[in-house]
Amino acid sequence: MNSSIYQRLSKNGIKKNRQIYTPFIIASIVTFTLFFIISAMASTKKYAELGFRGMKETQMTLGLAVFIVALFSIIFIFYTHSFLVKRRQKELALYQVLGMEKQHLRKIMLWEHISLYIKSMVGALIMGTLLFKVSEVILTKLAKAKINSVYLPEIFPYIATLILGFLIFSLIFIRSMFSIQFIQPIKYLREAQAGEKEPKVNWILAVIGIICIGIGYYLSLTVDTFFDMMRFMIAVAFVIVGTLSGFIALSVAVLKVLQRNKKFYYKKKNFTNVSGLMHRMKKNGAGLANIAIIATSVIILLSSAVTIYIGSNKLIKDFLPRDIMVYSKPDETKEMMANVSKFMEEKGIEMKDQMQVRNIGMALKFKNGEFEYNYNRFDTDPEIFYLILMPAKDFKFMVEDVNIGPKEAYIYGPKNRIGSQEIEIGNIKWQGVFQSEEIPAPLMELGRTNLDRVLLVYGDDYSFEDVQENTTKMSNKVNYESKIGFNVDLSAKEEIKLKEELKEYIRKEKDVVYGVESFQETSELYYAFNGGIVFCGFFLGVVFMVALALIIYYKQLTEGYEDLHRFTIMRRVGMTKREIKSTIKSQILAVFMLPIVVAAIHVAFAYPMVKSILSAMYIETATLYLKVAIGTVAVFILIYIIIYALTSRSYYKIVTSTEEWY
């Protein structure tokens, strides 16, 4: 046969099976469009020329997203293509029965994959080019930057998308070749006559699932800091394995237990529901597990992104309460203040709302009411913690004015470290008054370390110099920090320029470079960097949501074709159309609501690690993330229900398409 015949057969094959090929082409176009957009934004060099502050850091984040989306594209297209392979097996087997050889089938599949590749690439490159500017606008809005570009994407994303597409379609073509090699026409003829066996419980796999989920949850709940990231990744791996094992084996085990309950099982509605669900879980347990895992990823990504975006503005104001902040050692504060005042007088700029904040920090242990000193702030001994001391009059500039009684000290941090006990450092004694398990958000950056941190705020009974002298006597590893701040009536550009000039002036006067920060400059850089993180979170959330919708759609299609014969038999043995539709509805609801319930549980147990990650970014998470996560779950459930409602129509259409129903 010549190539035109193979082309015509491949074209007819796609046309006859358009119900499953059209979603695959759409899935491929959407997947490669998303890859094109993220790779275009990560590789565009002109952003730096257009004054996008912090774009270098942002593009590093986007570069990581490119890798994630590329990996996801391979997995997702392989997964969706498996539905096509499964569906086409019988058709290709029929071609063999009619006299075609396997070499002929391979040529048909070659032209079929070429056609799919061309359609996917053309659609993706056109859509990517059109949507690139929209994505760019979203990123710049999140980063609070301004880019008035009208140019097209550079050449790299076009080449990268074509190469990735060629790689993926080559791989799925190779898999199709293997599937053709193992086609046995007689097998499909016998399957049509053979009854379906009832699934057996794999108790070993069920127990493995329970153990893996238990270990994963335990590891996540016991994460203390951001530095336990490897522990969290291990927890994620255990939960994924446990979820897959649970859906495949544990679900069947639960249904078997219900089946053995004769009073429950031998009722018309329960009988059909339990038996139907058992066959569904046997064939589609892994697919439902994938839905649960993807749903968990979507919820965590979106809730984290929203939390970062909402918390960013408050975070910057907490850390930089004034327009200009200058940092030094406490014993140099007076000299630093004199230099700053002299510079501002020469500039003729008024310093408004002046503030000063000082603190002392040291790593120590607290045993039997006494401190042990001279530890390193980055030690890993779980008994060591980091104590931060701050005067109440400085505390009020950052947090609030507190009314501390004589010889008292307010304590913020884990209660098991000090609690409300008498505290003695050298010749100084305080009665600790416990306030909170968490350090106030404006002071979260103090003494960043892997150790637990405890903040002690003391009153006017002792001066900062007295406390400094006593801590120096007790430990040779004490850290001192001091910062002053003030507001200025300047524009953003003038403020940033003033900061640079002040920094250079102090360097010349003192021959040292104090840390000088501008609220405007820091906020621009912070939003540029975090804007990239937030964008990636939203972007990947959308990627996974699209994948979720398409996976659900394909599941509805495949289950519809698998269940068509079974529901036809039910109709023939006497079940009414209404009873069958009721059974279908209850089974579909049970199957597709189960993953979202599991996902919500996974999100709840992932909270400690997500909180640690956000805390490492200085985002206040105690209540904000919980509120956002609950809202995200609610919105996600609504979207999930809409996806279910839309895709379930395909299932109903298939299982009611036989004339025996009417």
Side-chain angles (χ1 to χ4, degrees), residues 432-615:
V433 181
F434 182 77
Q435 298 294 308
S436 171
E437 286 277 347
E438 293 190 359
I439 293 175
L443 302 172
M444 284 293 290
E445 90 284 4
L446 295 179
R448 297 303 293 183
T449 171
N450 59 319
L451 302 174
D452 282 345
R453 291 174 300 148
V454 175
L455 173 65
L456 187 150
V457 181
Y458 58 89
D460 297 330
D461 302 273
Y462 301 100
S463 67
F464 183 84
E465 289 71 24
D466 289 336
V467 177
Q468 184 178 7
E469 182 181 351
N470 275 269
T471 53
T472 304
K473 289 178 181 178
M474 302 308 297
S475 175
N476 58 12
K477 294 183 179 179
V478 182
N479 300 294
Y480 304 101
E481 297 178 6
S482 177
K483 56 186 173 185
I484 63 170
F486 53 89
N487 290 329
V488 291
D489 290 330
L490 298 173
S491 66
K493 288 185 178 179
E494 291 172 336
E495 182 184 308
I496 295 172
K497 182 180 178 183
L498 175 69
K499 170 253 178 182
E500 293 295 334
E501 291 176 348
L502 174 58
K503 189 174 182 178
E504 181 63 22
Y505 177 85
I506 294 174
R507 189 190 66 79
K508 289 180 179 179
E509 290 289 318
K510 180 68 178 171
D511 198 27
V512 294
V513 180
Y514 291 143
V516 183
E517 290 188 357
S518 157
F519 177 86
Q520 289 294 337
E521 181 180 47
T522 302
S523 61
E524 286 181 14
L525 291 172
Y526 185 84
Y527 276 115
F529 179 71
N530 271 15
I533 294 176
V534 173
F535 178 82
C536 288
F538 278 118
F539 192 88
L540 293 176
V542 171
V543 170
F544 293 144
M545 183 65 78
V546 170
L548 188 65
L550 290 166
I551 287 172
I552 292 174
Y553 177 77
Y554 271 112
K555 281 189 65 59
Q556 299 280 30
L557 285 180
T558 54
E559 290 187 8
Y561 288 118
E562 289 169 358
D563 294 343
L564 172 60
H565 181 64
R566 187 160 55 88
F567 282 115
T568 301
I569 292 173
M570 288 183 183
R571 173 65 173 161
R572 288 174 178 174
V573 298
M575 286 188 72
T576 65
K577 180 179 177 181
R578 185 174 182 179
E579 289 171 338
I580 293 177
K581 284 199 170 183
S582 175
T583 300
I584 292 172
K585 184 177 180 181
S586 60
Q587 286 185 22
I588 292 178
L589 279 172
V591 167
F592 284 97
M593 289 301 110
L594 183 59
I596 197 64
V597 172
V598 172
I601 296 171
H602 286 349
V603 170
F605 278 94
Y607 171 72
M609 189 61 224
V610 176
K611 180 181 176 182
S612 296
I613 294 172
L614 294 176
S615 178

Side-chain angles (χ1 to χ4, degrees), residues 250-515:
L250 190 59
S251 56
V252 176
V254 172
L255 291 168
K256 280 284 187 180
V257 171
L258 293 175
Q259 190 183 46
R260 289 171 185 170
N261 185 338
K262 295 182 180 181
K263 291 183 179 179
F264 172 83
Y265 184 63
Y266 289 108
K267 292 181 180 179
K268 182 168 60 175
K269 185 176 180 180
N270 294 339
F271 178 85
T272 55
N273 282 338
V274 171
S275 60
L277 284 171
M278 200 176 297
H279 288 285
R280 282 177 179 273
M281 299 309 296
K282 172 190 173 184
K283 293 182 177 180
N284 302 292
L288 292 174
N290 288 329
I291 292 174
I293 293 166
I294 292 175
T296 304
S297 303
V298 171
I299 293 170
I300 291 177
L301 280 170
L302 293 180
S303 57
S304 299
V306 173
T307 301
I308 292 171
Y309 190 73
I310 294 175
S312 294
N313 191 47
K314 183 178 184 300
L315 171 69
I316 297 170
K317 289 182 179 178
D318 284 344
F319 288 175
L320 295 173
R322 300 293 187 269
D323 294 336
I324 301 292
M325 299 294 296
V326 186
Y327 304 83
S328 73
K329 295 180 180 179
D331 55 359
E332 297 176 344
T333 302
K334 290 183 180 179
E335 185 178 0
M336 177 182 67
M337 192 66 203
N339 287 328
V340 172
S341 298
K342 181 181 177 182
F343 171 79
M344 297 300 287
E345 286 177 8
E346 292 177 0
K347 284 288 185 179
I349 301 173
E350 182 182 359
M351 299 168 61
K352 297 182 178 181
D353 307 318
Q354 294 184 43
M355 59 166 283
Q356 179 178 342
V357 177
R358 298 157 295 173
N359 68 85
I360 300 168
M362 53 185 173
L364 38 70
K365 289 183 181 180
F366 190 69
K367 283 188 174 182
N368 302 320
E370 295 183 355
F371 287 113
E372 294 180 6
Y373 301 91
N374 296 322
Y375 293 102
N376 191 293
R377 64 189 291 187
F378 296 107
D379 284 339
T380 56
D381 188 335
E383 293 187 2
I384 302 173
F385 64 96
Y386 194 74
L387 180 66
I388 305 164
L389 302 102
M390 177 178 287
K393 60 182 179 181
D394 293 12
F395 183 78
K396 73 177 182 180
F397 285 118
M398 298 295 290
V399 185
E400 62 181 354
D401 197 357
V402 290
N403 186 22
I404 299 177
K407 308 295 183 181
E408 286 185 347
Y410 282 5
I411 296 172
Y412 302 83
K415 194 171 185 178
N416 63 343
R417 291 305 189 180
I418 298 180
S420 300
Q421 301 184 47
E422 187 174 81
I423 302 164
E424 183 174 349
I425 300 178
N427 298 323
I428 297 176
K429 291 184 179 180
W430 291 293
Q431 178 59 45
V433 181
F434 182 77
Q435 298 294 308
S436 171
E437 286 277 347
E438 293 190 359
I439 293 175
L443 302 172
M444 284 293 290
E445 90 284 4
L446 295 179
R448 297 303 293 183
T449 171
N450 59 319
L451 302 174
D452 282 345
R453 291 174 300 148
V454 175
L455 173 65
L456 187 150
V457 181
Y458 58 89
D460 297 330
D461 302 273
Y462 301 100
S463 67
F464 183 84
E465 289 71 24
D466 289 336
V467 177
Q468 184 178 7
E469 182 181 351
N470 275 269
T471 53
T472 304
K473 289 178 181 178
M474 302 308 297
S475 175
N476 58 12
K477 294 183 179 179
V478 182
N479 300 294
Y480 304 101
E481 297 178 6
S482 177
K483 56 186 173 185
I484 63 170
F486 53 89
N487 290 329
V488 291
D489 290 330
L490 298 173
S491 66
K493 288 185 178 179
E494 291 172 336
E495 182 184 308
I496 295 172
K497 182 180 178 183
L498 175 69
K499 170 253 178 182
E500 293 295 334
E501 291 176 348
L502 174 58
K503 189 174 182 178
E504 181 63 22
Y505 177 85
I506 294 174
R507 189 190 66 79
K508 289 180 179 179
E509 290 289 318
K510 180 68 178 171
D511 198 27
V512 294
V513 180
Y514 291 143

